[in-house]
Amino acid sequence: MYTLDAVSEFLTRTPTPKSWSLLISILSLTTILAIYILALRHLHWQFSVAWLLLVLGYIGIVIGVSFAAMIISTSCTLLRLENRSNAKWTHGVVNSVKNTDSMETTGSAFLSSEFGPQILEVVWLRPLTRERALLASTVACGIVVFFLCHYIGLRSLIWWVALGELGVCLLAAFARSLVKGQQARFEVEEGVKLDKRCCSTGVISMQKGHKVGERKWGNIDARAYSALSFKEITTDGESIAWEAAKLCFEDAALVTKIQELTGMLLHAVPMQDKNNCDVLVAFDGGLLVSEGLAFPNCQVMLSFHSSISALGIPTALLARGIMRQPEWVLDKPGFGPMPLGQVYVLAIDGMIDWWTMSEDRNDMSDLQKNLQWCFVLINISFFLSLLELSRNEEFPLEAIEKVHCASSQDNKKVAQEVFEFLQSCL
């Protein structure tokens, strides 16, 4: 799988009719052959050396260029995204580039084109092999030799043969320019802002999150992620969640209440190396916001491969499940304020309108840093599930303990206050 850092709008084009290209090619070939036959007639049907060089050189050029085109085609990987055959279909993003300022909340200008159906083509070279380089050099040398033969033959014949061939080439190029699709023009759409710079082949609908009054039970949003490593840096919010989880784990009734509130379900399978694991986790929500607790209007289910140590800082891993959620429910308005100290807790509007829509602007480390406090309760519930797995020695926690071994006394004090708060609140 390839990820493009950027795609230019100049990689889009309107489709050129193949019938016109074929017609122009046939007419050009027929006209050139007719010129050669007229030249042979001028020679009283005598096959001179000049005429033979002309024809053999032309045939060699055609064959050589065809082989060169085949080599170029097989040496490249082509990614083509064509519009659907349904004429009513107008949605499709062509260009998507991260905004340079991740804190710019006003959005970026939206560029669109109404030039009709377009095709996005991206081409990149494959690694060059010795055999392919030798073949390309051989074909290039052959084209040079045949071109010299053709040029010598052309210069040795009567003047109107060269002039006629030149005229055919110019007319063919002019005809192709007439039928070739014009470059699409992209213009700024006034009054439209996106969370990333974007060019589109048509009209696109931007998803917006919003609050709903009641939760719908039974909806599941399941997502699977490939192996992904990121810089593992422990945050205060995750250290507090770990220390609080160890305290809560001693109170079985409190563990049950927290797990029921967040809907946390976890299945983790360690690999043979005891350093990595496969994880399947599901939760209902429970993001800490200034108004209470926020829940996506569905059950979030995530599957991913991770190092065991990365599970000790789970904010970024779990946050991928809340990205682009369209509906949110505010619950437990009396829940809080949780005694976390002087930290900034997001409002639910900022959460659903900005942070859950900003995954293209923020990498895993950014999500961890900015959402660590919103995920305190979810992280506590996640750590409780890990502790439950380790109770029967099914899951090793040494790597996670090592991640939080340098937890400060201040964090442990806050964790004690969080534990007492959860006891009194739940």
Side-chain angles (χ1 to χ4, degrees), residues 240-261:
I240 292 172
W242 171 250
E243 297 296 336
K246 291 192 294 183
L247 295 173
C248 294
F249 193 63
E250 303 300 325
D251 187 338
L254 181 59
V255 171
T256 301
K257 292 177 181 179
I258 294 175
Q259 300 294 57
E260 289 179 352
L261 178 61

Side-chain angles (χ1 to χ4, degrees), residues 5-39:
D5 294 328
V7 180
S8 170
E9 60 267 26
F10 292 104
L11 291 173
T12 63
R13 65 176 179 86
T14 53
T16 302
K18 295 182 180 180
S19 58
W20 281 106
S21 298
L22 181 61
L23 179 61
I24 293 172
S25 301
I26 293 175
L27 290 177
S28 301
L29 176 62
T30 303
T31 306
I32 288 178
L33 293 178
I35 292 174
Y36 294 167
I37 293 174
L38 290 176

Side-chain angles (χ1 to χ4, degrees), residues 123-141:
V123 182
W124 60 93
L125 287 174
R126 296 176 180 174
L128 182 63
T129 62
R130 184 176 180 181
E131 293 77 10
R132 194 177 297 276
L134 180 62
L135 179 61
S137 300
T138 303
V139 172
C141 292

Side-chain angles (χ1 to χ4, degrees), residues 162-314:
L163 187 62
E165 188 172 300
L166 176 61
V168 171
C169 293
L170 292 177
L171 289 175
F174 178 71
R176 284 187 58 83
S177 67
L178 292 179
V179 299
K180 185 178 180 180
Q182 183 179 351
Q183 175 62 46
R185 182 177 180 181
F186 287 78
E187 298 178 347
V188 176
E189 292 287 340
E190 298 296 336
V192 180
K193 293 287 187 177
L194 299 180
D195 65 335
K196 54 189 175 182
R197 285 177 293 189
C198 175
C199 294
S200 171
T201 57
V203 180
I204 69 172
S205 300
M206 181 182 176
Q207 176 181 315
K208 294 183 179 180
H210 62 278
K211 292 180 289 186
V212 295
E214 297 181 0
R215 299 187 64 185
K216 293 180 180 179
W217 299 99
N219 293 337
I220 298 176
D221 184 334
R223 307 180 184 186
Y225 290 93
S226 59
L228 178 65
S229 61
F230 64 102
K231 193 173 182 180
E232 299 179 6
I233 299 178
T234 307
T235 62
D236 290 337
E238 289 162 329
S239 292
I240 292 172
W242 171 250
E243 297 296 336
K246 291 192 294 183
L247 295 173
C248 294
F249 193 63
E250 303 300 325
D251 187 338
L254 181 59
V255 171
T256 301
K257 292 177 181 179
I258 294 175
Q259 300 294 57
E260 289 179 352
L261 178 61
T262 60
M264 180 65 66
L265 299 171
L266 175 65
H267 181 64
V269 180
M271 307 300 288
Q272 293 182 353
D273 59 6
K274 300 299 182 179
N275 294 321
N276 300 281
C277 61
D278 292 323
V279 179
L280 178 63
V281 57
F283 59 94
D284 295 332
L287 279 77
L288 184 64
V289 292
S290 59
E291 300 92 337
L293 295 179
F295 294 81
N297 198 19
C298 62
Q299 184 183 39
V300 175
M301 183 179 295
L302 295 173
S303 174
F304 54 88
H305 180 82
S306 170
S307 64
I308 294 179
S309 59
L311 298 184
I313 46 176

Side-chain angles (χ1 to χ4, degrees), residues 98-103 230-231 233 235 315-316 319 323 355 358-372:
K98 289 184 179 180
N99 196 318
T100 55
D101 185 0
S102 63
M103 296 303 294
F230 64 102
K231 193 173 182 180
I233 299 178
T235 62
T315 302
M323 293 297 152
W355 285 111
S358 66
E359 56 185 328
D360 283 338
R361 294 179 169 204
N362 296 274
D363 57 20
M364 299 281 283
S365 298
D366 289 331
L367 294 176
Q368 177 194 21
K369 177 179 65 177
N370 293 307
L371 299 178
Q372 57 175 310

